Amino acid sequence: MDSRPDEANLLERSRKGDLAAFNVLIEHYQTAVFNLCLRMLTSQQTAEDATQEAFIASYRHLEKFRGGSFRAWLFRIASNTCYDELRRRPARPALSLDEPGSDGERHLDPPDHAPSPQDRAEQSQLRETLARALASIPDDQRLAITLSDVQGLDYAEIAEVMQCSLGTVKSRIARGRVRLRSILLEQAELLPPRFRPTGEKT
Amino acid sequence: MRFPLFERHPRQELSGYLDNELAFQRVEAVKAHLGSCPTCRAELDALRILKSQLAALPESPAPRSFALTPQMAQRPAPEPARARTPARVAALSNGMRLAGAGMAAALAVVMVLNFSGSSSDDSRKAVTAPEALIANSTTQDSDAADGDTSGSLAIPSVIATGTADSRASTAVPPDATATRGTAEGSVGGVPSVAADGFDGGGGSLAPGATSQTIPQTGEGGSEVVPSVPPPAATGLIDKNEAGSPRVNATEAPVIRSWQTDQAAPEAAPAAAQSDGGGVDILVLVAIVLAAGVVLAFAGSVLIPRIARDDQ
């Protein structure tokens, strides 16, 4: 992605009120932002709303962006929007890990095109279980792990997004992964044998 | 051979190690540990698999374009306004309600003082006699129970607010036996009673006590001041005889009624010297408090309504 100079230029123009320039940036980041929101909120519609809201907020507050990683800044606004939404929810119904895919709204794992039908089924089952496990861990840990493992940010960038120290990032990711693993171990029987977490192999 | 004391499993660091986010020394330490610990190697493998599975979670394509329209770009941000105003208003409203309740309580105290004080015009004389108080506190002897000192210290401030009654000016012995025994013994420390802001019949009892010179009898409690209602008096005597070290609200005024001139010679003159100018102050305070109560409650109801209309 060698869009750095472009990005700086687009940002400069956006700051001066060039909405078209900002929309180029949106187009570039919208998939990432939407997926972040989707992982955090687990509902397609809410994630869509949060994504739109985050882009609106970022355009309005563009003067507050003081250089550095625009992606991290954008993710910060998006994750704050998600936190607002999560807080607004009365009592978030814990996603039931026992009945995968019963609800169309909670289709966390879009179908993909794996080579063989069996492979595809197994992969899909694994992803569904993993996505549900991810949805069930604490928000901070989910955000840190999503940023790290799904979005591929390094710890420094995650610390920028989450406005916390590197140590906090480190411990959120470590604790989140341990938690994910124990959930997957509990759910091991739902997984195809070759995907079962180590330690539980039979 | 492993040395468990020196070689804890670096569980929390395995994630950082996997992500290449550990400091150099820690990387070396974890690497060394992994070389000799199959448990941690297995854990690291599991984390690696988990990480790759997470990375393999497919990205959902954006369901639509999120490009901003000029309307979206211009509309004032609705979120912060909606989120913040109710919280602030609610806090303000609650604060006013609390303040109203506090003032209502203070008003009740003042009213009780006011009405009970009207039975004896001496009631506020004692209030305005801090010298008496101080004199009593200084005569406090070793009979004083724990906490009496703090009680006597707190009293001046109570008087300053106008909520204390004349009881405060008279010494009340912390030790009931001292009351009944000698006159000297009854000059105890000022009790915590007064500091507690007790108001019920006490206000009417004490003034009578200060204005009248009651002959102290040998047995003490047997002589009851005329202004003391019988039930209070009997209750008091019982408690005194039980030797309760802590003087409670009901006994305080009555005990005082025995001893006044003899027990606390400094107190009575000082109380008698002051004049009855305190009546107006109490009425004034009552009016101010009443106005405050009304304003606070009205505000707590009206402010949220106004704020809602603004939106």
Side-chain angles (χ1 to χ4, degrees):
Chain A
M1 189 165 66
D2 56 340
S3 58
R4 282 284 156 199
D6 259 343
E7 184 171 289
N9 184 278
L10 289 168
L11 276 170
E12 194 51 46
R13 281 164 53 199
S14 305
R15 272 210 192 89
K16 289 173 182 158
D18 184 344
L19 189 57
F22 193 72
N23 279 337
V24 175
L25 289 169
I26 288 181
E27 206 173 312
H28 184 76
Y29 286 110
Q30 63 183 8
T31 305
V33 171
F34 172 71
N35 276 274
L36 178 66
C37 293
L38 188 59
R39 289 290 164 217
M40 289 307 289
L41 301 173
T42 67
S43 137
Q44 178 94 12
Q45 187 54 55
T46 331
E48 247 184 87
D49 294 346
T51 304
Q52 188 68 78
E53 209 172 295
F55 280 125
I56 293 173
S58 57
Y59 182 70
R60 293 208 183 113
H61 299 108
L62 207 50
E63 74 281 353
K64 288 183 186 157
F65 172 61
R66 311 229 174 276
S69 163
F70 179 64
R71 175 171 69 159
W73 186 75
L74 208 50
F75 280 1
R76 191 167 102 212
I77 294 176
S79 53
N80 285 341
T81 311
C82 291
Y83 277 125
D84 282 349
E85 174 59 32
L86 290 169
R87 241 175 273 131
R88 213 174 293 148
R89 292 180 182 179
R92 193 154 51 99
L95 287 178
S96 165
L97 296 170
D98 301 326
E99 24 182 307
S102 58
D103 188 346
E105 170 95 320
R106 290 176 188 162
H107 232 31
L108 303 178
D109 179 34
D112 67 339
H113 314 285
S116 92
Q118 198 205 343
D119 267 6
R120 207 173 70 179
E122 285 182 350
Q123 283 286 348
S124 161
Q125 196 180 346
L126 168 72
R127 286 170 184 172
E128 183 69 29
T129 307
L130 186 58
R132 282 172 184 278
L134 187 60
S136 71
I137 66 174
D139 299 339
D140 284 344
Q141 295 173 12
R142 179 161 76 258
L143 179 59
I145 286 185
T146 303
L147 290 170
S148 158
D149 296 350
V150 181
Q151 302 280 356
L153 273 64
D154 62 23
Y155 285 16
E157 223 177 344
I158 296 171
E160 216 179 312
V161 174
M162 299 188 77
Q163 296 284 289
C164 64
S165 69
L166 274 180
T168 306
V169 171
K170 217 175 279 185
S171 84
R172 280 176 185 167
I173 290 177
R175 281 183 290 132
R177 281 183 184 152
V178 168
R179 203 177 270 240
L180 272 182
R181 244 182 52 74
S182 68
I183 292 172
L184 291 176
L185 278 171
E186 284 166 18
Q187 302 286 313
E189 73 279 6
L190 290 179
L191 297 177
R194 66 191 179 103
F195 290 119
R196 284 181 192 162
T198 48
E200 195 74 341
K201 270 180 182 165
T202 45
Chain B
M1 185 55 73
R2 310 244 317 273
F3 304 95
L5 261 183
F6 300 102
E7 210 179 299
R8 279 177 36 247
H9 295 295
R11 283 241 157 99
Q12 288 294 312
E13 286 180 310
L14 290 178
S15 258
Y17 179 81
L18 177 64
D19 294 335
N20 281 324
E21 295 275 1
L22 287 190
F24 178 73
Q25 310 95 296
R26 296 310 306 155
V27 172
E28 292 305 304
V30 172
K31 207 180 276 179
H33 177 89
L34 284 169
S36 65
C37 180
T39 314
C40 284
R41 275 203 302 273
E43 176 85 17
L44 182 65
D45 280 345
L47 290 175
R48 187 173 287 128
I49 291 170
L50 176 69
K51 186 177 161 76
S52 69
Q53 287 170 342
L54 284 164
L57 282 176
E59 226 180 24
S60 299
R64 61 180 170 88
S65 167
F66 292 100
L68 303 187
T69 62
Q71 290 85 350
M72 286 175 182
Q74 275 163 17
R75 196 181 51 197
E79 268 329 294
R82 214 173 41 205
R84 266 179 229 148
T85 320
R88 269 198 322 241
V89 168
L92 184 62
S93 170
N94 283 339
M96 293 191 81
R97 213 168 296 152
L98 266 180
M103 282 190 283
L107 178 63
V109 170
V110 171
M111 294 292 270
V112 168
L113 283 179
N114 209 6
F115 286 124
S116 62
S118 63
S119 62
S120 162
D121 58 359
D122 284 339
S123 65
R124 254 84 61 199
K125 293 178 179 178
V127 176
T128 54
E131 315 96 293
L133 230 195
I134 292 156
N136 284 334
S137 336
T138 50
T139 55
Q140 198 168 323
D141 59 20
S142 60
D143 287 342
D146 293 344
D148 277 347
T149 313
S150 62
S152 65
L153 288 175
I155 286 160
S157 65
V158 173
I159 288 172
T161 61
T163 55
D165 60 28
S166 58
R167 278 178 292 121
S169 69
T170 326
V172 176
D175 188 345
T177 48
T179 326
R180 286 187 287 117
T182 62
E184 293 87 318
S186 67
V187 191
V190 179
S192 51
V193 175
D196 289 343
F198 170 78
D199 49 54
S204 62
L205 302 178
T210 44
S211 59
Q212 293 171 23
T213 305
I214 308 300
Q216 172 111 14
T217 64
E219 284 81 13
S222 60
E223 186 88 9
V224 178
V225 179
S227 69
V228 177
T234 49
L236 155 80
I237 291 163
D238 288 343
K239 279 179 186 158
N240 282 347
E241 279 166 1
S244 159
R246 190 176 161 79
V247 180
N248 76 16
T250 33
E251 23 191 328
V254 191
I255 293 166
R256 212 179 316 120
S257 63
W258 272 282
Q259 57 179 25
T260 37
D261 287 346
Q262 288 159 10
E266 315 92 324
Q273 278 163 16
S274 50
D275 60 23
V279 182
D280 299 332
I281 294 174
L282 276 185
V283 172
L284 207 68
V285 168
I287 291 171
V288 169
L289 282 174
V293 169
V294 171
L295 281 178
F297 281 115
S300 74
V301 172
L302 289 177
I303 285 177
R305 209 166 288 177
I306 293 166
R308 242 174 283 141
D309 291 345
D310 282 351
Q311 283 179 0

